[in-house]
Amino acid sequence: MSATGSDKTVLLSLYEEKRANLVRFFAARLNSRAEAEDLVQDLYLRLTAMEADATVENPSALLHRIGSNLMLDRLRSQKRSGVRDHDWREANTTVLAGHEVADEPSADQVVDARQRLKALVEAVDDLPEKTRHAFQLHKLEGLSHAETARRMGISTSTVEKHISSALKTLTRRLR
């Protein structure tokens, strides 16, 4: 099916028509209806952010492709989060009688953490204005490179350059 004219409108109508099926489709893959509902809501947000003049050859396939990509991104993020949480628990807990007990940081560790946080805030504040704005939108507000580019009115590759520059500068300053 080839959509012409307002392909975005066709996609949004198809989304409304197939929403319940999309939830079931993703719930079967994620083993969670709540996760599927979140994913389908993210799909809707992605569709509403599309360019109005985008050409869509197969709207149904595009819905599933965008949803599948969102699902894979979500699963990768959960995996990274799980590894990060596991590593943190390994470094910051002690097992006593079969129970994990959180280690209390020493006063020196708290002071050091505060100093590092202050240095990070100062380093971010010292970034060039556009680099700082791109960094804040992407890393702190969680926008994708494409969403950051749209918000700033610049290309995605320029956003990538700003983020890369910010990370290099911050890494160098915080060593």
Side-chain angles (χ1 to χ4, degrees):
M1 170 167 119
S2 180
T4 58
S6 181
D7 287 346
K8 183 176 178 178
T9 303
V10 170
L11 274 171
L12 291 171
S13 295
L14 188 62
Y15 167 87
E16 290 296 327
E17 179 185 319
K18 295 190 175 241
R19 187 184 185 292
N21 291 340
L22 290 165
V23 170
R24 281 192 297 279
F25 177 80
F26 291 114
R29 279 145 186 81
L30 295 167
N31 294 321
S32 169
R33 182 166 178 86
E35 288 272 337
E37 289 281 355
D38 287 347
L39 185 108
V40 171
Q41 180 63 31
D42 289 346
L43 172 60
Y44 177 78
L45 294 173
R46 187 67 56 96
L47 294 174
T48 59
M50 284 181 64
E51 298 289 327
D53 59 354
T55 302
V56 179
E57 289 298 319
N58 186 337
S60 184
L62 182 61
L63 285 178
H64 284 281
R65 169 64 63 168
I66 294 171
S68 294
N69 288 344
L70 289 169
M71 180 179 65
L72 290 173
D73 289 347
R74 182 177 295 243
L75 293 171
R76 286 183 193 118
S77 176
Q78 288 172 348
K79 183 177 180 179
R80 284 190 306 269
S81 178
V83 168
R84 193 172 43 247
D85 290 350
H86 175 267
D87 291 347
W88 184 89
R89 277 193 309 279
E90 289 270 316
N92 295 294
T93 58
T94 304
V95 177
L96 295 173
H99 298 285
E100 285 187 1
V101 179
D103 297 336
E104 288 293 320
S106 68
D108 289 341
Q109 289 172 320
V110 171
V111 168
D112 183 53
R114 285 185 181 146
Q115 289 171 344
R116 290 177 56 80
L117 180 59
K118 183 179 177 189
L120 176 61
V121 169
E122 289 171 358
V124 169
D125 286 344
D126 289 344
L127 291 171
E129 182 181 346
K130 287 185 178 182
T131 301
R132 181 180 63 248
H133 191 217
F135 178 81
Q136 289 172 330
L137 289 173
H138 179 63
K139 293 295 186 181
L140 303 180
E141 293 184 27
L143 299 182
S144 70
H145 287 176
E147 293 165 331
T148 300
R150 272 194 297 280
R151 178 91 59 97
M152 293 180 67
I154 58 178
S155 70
T156 302
S157 65
T158 302
V159 169
E160 291 167 353
K161 290 174 187 171
H162 282 308
I163 300 300
S164 177
S165 173
L167 292 173
K168 286 176 187 173
T169 300
L170 295 174
T171 301
R172 205 171 33 251
R173 282 213 32 203
L174 297 176
R175 280 191 177 147

